Amino acid sequence: MFYSHPVFRPPSERDSLLIQVTVGCSRRSCTFCLSSLVRDAYVRDRDSVLADIAEAGEKYRDTTRKVFFLSASAIAADTATLVAAAAKCRELFPNLRSISSYAHSLDVQRKSDAELSEIAGAGLGRLYIGIESGSDAVLRFVRKGGTVRQIEQACLRAADAGITLSCQVILGLGGVRLTREHAEGTARLLGEVSPHYVGFLNLMVVPKTRLEEDVAAGRFELVDNDQYVDELETMIEGIEPRRRPIVVRSNHPSNYLSLAGTLPQDRESLLEAIRAARVGAARFSEEFLRNL
Ligand code: SF4
């Protein structure tokens, strides 16, 4: 089976069979991201993808319960390939429960409503969308590509097509200058979209990225621990789910503080945990334990 390294997948897909549908990231623009340093980026041809699934079917037929389509935005592959790959997985893995992939909001926006429904119907039923921030100023500064409005529309259209959304937000991504705008805008966006799941990551500066240069040149000042907690608190306080309850997690290894709950019902207990951390009654992760 073909794999292009480095391989990235969400922590919740640790037990998944990984199928390489695309390679790398076609954007490579985001200043904070390790994938921006990886040169190769292309969609694999359909026959190669299907051949890998067939090979996996011989080896892992009964043990495969989850499949994750690599790589940075596998939804960028043409719809026929995604549907064929998902159908092949359903055919060969009798115990399959889910198929998922990362997706950039602009790649979702390129699909019609009918295509999104077809993809969901074929079994690709969960997308991990790195929304990162609900502030246009932050998205522009980190060169994410796309606007808050486009993210919102992409997420709403995918959810309306029956796709489960797991959205990632990066705490600290606005730096000191945009911390407030980042926190308030992201809370607003998450409330509007009401993704089924939200994962909070904490910004880590990856060596050799443009962000590292920005930090060194003084163009970007990292938030400190208190500001990180402020952002998290502002978001938890401000998220008003409009469509469905939102399961929130900050258990990615990049985080200083691990939280888990559902909004709106667990808002008070989540805020209590944040306040306890602020006064030292709960433990922050040591710096050396944080990771991407
Ligand atoms: S954050 Fe996503 S879109 Fe941006 S460079 Fe990384 S993988 Fe590509």
Side-chain angles (χ1 to χ4, degrees), residues 48-149:
S48 305
V49 174
L50 296 179
D52 278 359
I53 296 170
E55 185 180 337
E58 287 169 16
K59 294 177 182 162
Y60 313 116
R61 180 182 183 277
D62 294 326
T63 52
T64 298
R65 289 178 171 73
K66 295 169 73 179
V67 170
F68 184 76
F69 287 168
L70 298 168
S71 191
S73 181
I75 196 87
D78 59 280
T79 299
T81 295
L82 293 169
V83 169
K88 190 86 177 162
C89 289
R90 287 204 338 269
E91 174 195 331
L92 295 183
F93 304 116
N95 298 316
L96 188 64
R97 291 202 300 252
S98 69
I99 308 173
S100 50
S101 82
Y102 283 130
H104 192 291
S105 56
L106 293 181
D107 292 328
V108 175
Q109 281 294 71
R110 282 194 193 96
K111 305 285 187 200
S112 67
D113 289 344
E115 285 178 296
L116 291 174
S117 296
E118 200 184 349
I119 288 166
L124 177 47
R126 178 190 291 239
L127 295 181
Y128 294 86
I129 300 183
I131 66 170
E132 329 299 10
S133 177
S135 155
D136 279 323
V138 175
L139 295 174
R140 261 194 314 276
F141 184 78
V142 301
R143 305 181 182 191
K144 176 68 190 180
T147 62
V148 173
R149 182 81 190 122

Side-chain angles (χ1 to χ4, degrees), residues 25 28-30 32-33 35-36 72 104 132 144:
C25 170
R28 297 193 300 274
S29 58
C30 306
F32 55 88
C33 179
S35 289
S36 68
H104 192 291
E132 329 299 10
K144 176 68 190 180

